[in-house]
């Protein structure tokens, strides 16, 4: 099934069925694909059993975000929390929200609590999130669990006794300023750092980190956009699915997480020995995930012997930051 999704670049059952190595009719193979997503025995824990051994040792940077799209008139909305690896956020826990729009603080707390059962807070270096993931109870819960926060906040957020938009009004593009001492934000004490983008957009970030680390850490949030790009229209075709039932959509998302992890793991290993070319902005001309997808697809399509090496990488943990070699694990 994973190889079918990888080659089809789509989540439409019939397209996946085309790549199943069976002699049965296409209709029969399509029913096999459908049964996989109807199987109640396939749970998020099964996905975690594959993903958790891939995590490197040490403390990890976590990112929360959500992805949303429509199938016809039906809104589909998935809240995700994952770990930053090789510039991509690998989802570890997710929930299909029963509504469109922002998530509630309760939904975020439940998702974090679920992940804490398998990844204790001492492994979390920081949790990064955008402006919609704020709130008093939510921020206090993370503080209680000992999880460092790095959140962008809205301009109508109250910092101590003033609104955020009322402070640093003379800020110049590219300039970075900070509240001298920690400020009272969403019921907790946090460091507040403000900068103005070249386009004139005020970026206000509240965190438990130092002034120097706050903005550089928040920039890592972009990794989750790379994740959604690789899983949706520019990659594995999540938006193509015709499934709207939350439990089936959750199973599909879990399988895509495994495929994404495999792509990134292969791409990272290859780019480590053969650094990719860079564009004029100094960025990789081809992403780690895209590199991994290309190599895996070629190996499967042409039956190359290197496929078995790539399969072994799915059982080998990512190297820790700054390390050149990864440790082998058993899934």
């Amino acid at each position: 099934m994973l190889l079918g999704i990888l080659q089809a670049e789509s989540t439409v059952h019939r397209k996946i069925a085309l790549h199943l190595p069976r002699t049965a009719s296409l209709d029969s193979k399509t029913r096999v694909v459908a049964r996989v997503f109807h199987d109640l025995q396939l749970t998020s824990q099964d996905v975690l059993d594959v993903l958790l051994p891939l995590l490197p040792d040490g403390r990890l940077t976590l990112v929360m975000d959500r992805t949303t799209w429509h199938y016809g008139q039906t809104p589909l909305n998935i809240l995700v929390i994952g770990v930053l690896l090789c510039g991509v956020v690998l989802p570890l826990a997710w929930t299909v929200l029963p509504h469109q729009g922002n998530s509630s603080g309760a939904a975020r707390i439940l998702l974090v609590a679920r992940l804490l059962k398998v990844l204790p807070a001492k492994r979390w270096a920081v949790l990064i999130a955008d402006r919609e993931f704020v709130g008093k109870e939510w921020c206090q819960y993370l503080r209680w669990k000992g999880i460092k926060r790095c959140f962008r906040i809205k301009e109508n957020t109250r910092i101590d006794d003033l609104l955020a938009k009322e402070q640093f009004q003379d800020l110049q593009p590219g300039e970075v300023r900070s509240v001298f001492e920690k400020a009272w934000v969403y019921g907790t004490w946090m460091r507040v750092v403000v900068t103005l983008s070249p386009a004139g957009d005020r970026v206000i970030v509240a965190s438990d980190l130092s002034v120097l680390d706050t903005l550089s850490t928040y920039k890592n949030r972009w990794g989750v956009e790379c994740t959604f790009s690789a899983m949706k229209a520019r990659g594995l075709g999540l938006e193509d699915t015709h499934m709207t039932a939350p439990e089936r959509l959750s199973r599909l998302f879990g399988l895509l997480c495994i495929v994404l992890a495999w792509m990134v793991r292969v791409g990272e290993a290859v780019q480590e020995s053969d650094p990719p070319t860079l564009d004029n902005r100094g960025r990789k001309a081809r992403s780690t995930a895209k590199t991994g997808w290309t190599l895996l697809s070629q190996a499967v399509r042409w039956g190359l012997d290197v496929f078995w090496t790539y399969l072994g990488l799915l059982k080998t943990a990512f190297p820790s930051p700054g390390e050149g070699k990864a440790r082998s694990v058993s899934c």
Side-chain angles (χ1 to χ4, degrees):
M1 186 61 63
L2 297 179
L3 296 179
I5 294 173
L6 182 75
Q7 295 176 88
E9 287 188 275
S10 174
T11 51
V12 175
H13 293 177
R14 201 169 187 84
K15 292 184 178 180
I16 297 174
L18 287 170
H19 298 277
L20 295 187
R22 297 186 175 209
T23 57
S25 68
L26 180 59
D27 288 341
S28 177
K29 292 193 289 185
T30 301
R31 288 192 293 270
V32 169
V33 174
R35 283 197 294 270
V36 170
F37 300 116
H38 296 183
D39 185 3
L40 298 179
Q41 296 181 3
L42 179 60
T43 66
S44 58
Q45 184 58 51
D46 296 319
V47 177
L48 280 175
D49 288 342
V50 177
L51 299 182
L52 287 177
L54 290 174
L55 302 184
D57 295 326
R59 306 188 74 190
L60 305 167
T61 296
L62 280 294
V63 181
M64 175 174 280
D65 207 341
R66 64 183 180 89
T67 183
T68 182
W69 71 99
H70 280 75
Y71 175 63
Q73 298 298 316
T74 304
L76 302 174
N77 199 5
I78 304 179
L79 179 65
V80 177
I81 184 170
V83 59
L84 181 68
L85 295 170
C86 304
V88 176
V89 173
L90 179 60
L92 296 178
W94 59 91
T95 184
V96 179
L97 299 175
H99 55 77
Q100 57 183 328
N102 296 351
S103 60
S104 66
R108 294 175 225 143
I109 289 172
L110 287 174
L111 192 62
V112 169
R114 209 172 84 200
L115 186 55
L116 284 173
K117 293 180 180 179
V118 294
L119 192 69
K122 64 182 180 181
R123 295 286 312 277
W124 298 42
V126 65
L127 175 63
I128 306 171
D130 205 2
R131 285 171 288 190
E132 70 176 77
F133 303 99
V134 292
K136 183 176 180 179
E137 293 78 9
W138 160 243
C139 288
Q140 289 178 336
Y141 172 79
L142 296 174
R143 180 72 173 176
W144 173 53
K145 288 296 183 179
I147 297 173
K148 290 186 177 181
R149 305 151 295 179
C150 185
F151 297 161
R152 184 176 178 182
I153 60 177
K154 300 178 181 179
E155 293 206 0
N156 62 358
T157 301
R158 188 165 293 279
I159 302 175
D160 289 333
D161 296 326
L162 296 174
L163 296 179
K165 63 183 179 182
E166 297 175 350
Q167 303 191 43
F168 307 118
Q169 294 183 352
D170 59 341
L171 197 65
Q172 299 300 312
E175 185 180 3
V176 177
R177 294 191 191 177
S178 171
V179 176
F180 183 71
E181 296 179 342
K182 286 189 176 182
W184 190 250
V185 184
Y186 290 114
T188 61
W189 293 103
M190 301 178 74
R191 181 80 62 190
V192 178
V193 181
V194 186
T195 189
L196 194 66
S197 70
D201 186 22
R202 282 163 57 95
V203 179
I204 310 171
V205 182
S207 81
D208 298 303
L209 308 175
S210 68
V211 173
L212 295 178
D213 291 337
T214 293
L215 290 181
S216 60
T217 298
Y218 180 74
K219 289 179 181 178
N220 290 323
R221 197 203 69 84
W222 181 252
V224 77
E225 302 298 340
C226 299
T227 295
F228 294 150
S229 176
M231 297 182 80
K232 295 171 79 173
R234 296 178 61 188
L236 300 175
L238 173 61
E239 293 171 305
D240 295 341
T241 183
H242 297 174
M243 293 186 295
T244 58
E247 66 279 1
R248 296 175 187 176
L249 186 59
S250 180
R251 294 187 195 105
L252 170 63
F253 191 82
L255 290 179
L256 292 185
C257 290
I258 296 177
V259 176
L260 175 66
W262 196 6
M263 290 161 48
V264 176
R265 187 66 190 88
V266 170
E268 183 276 335
V270 171
Q271 290 182 348
E272 181 182 340
S273 57
D274 184 16
T277 57
L278 304 178
D279 60 19
N280 294 333
R281 296 172 296 178
R283 300 176 182 176
K284 294 179 181 179
R286 175 173 290 185
S287 69
T288 302
K290 191 65 174 181
T291 297
W293 173 84
T294 301
L295 295 171
L296 278 170
S297 296
Q298 291 176 341
V300 173
R301 180 178 178 84
W302 304 111
L304 305 180
D305 291 339
V306 74
F307 170 78
W308 302 107
T309 301
Y310 296 156
L311 183 60
L313 288 173
L314 192 56
K315 299 182 179 181
T316 306
F318 283 88
S320 299
E323 294 183 4
K325 295 183 179 181
R327 56 185 175 85
S328 181
V329 299
S330 298
C331 290

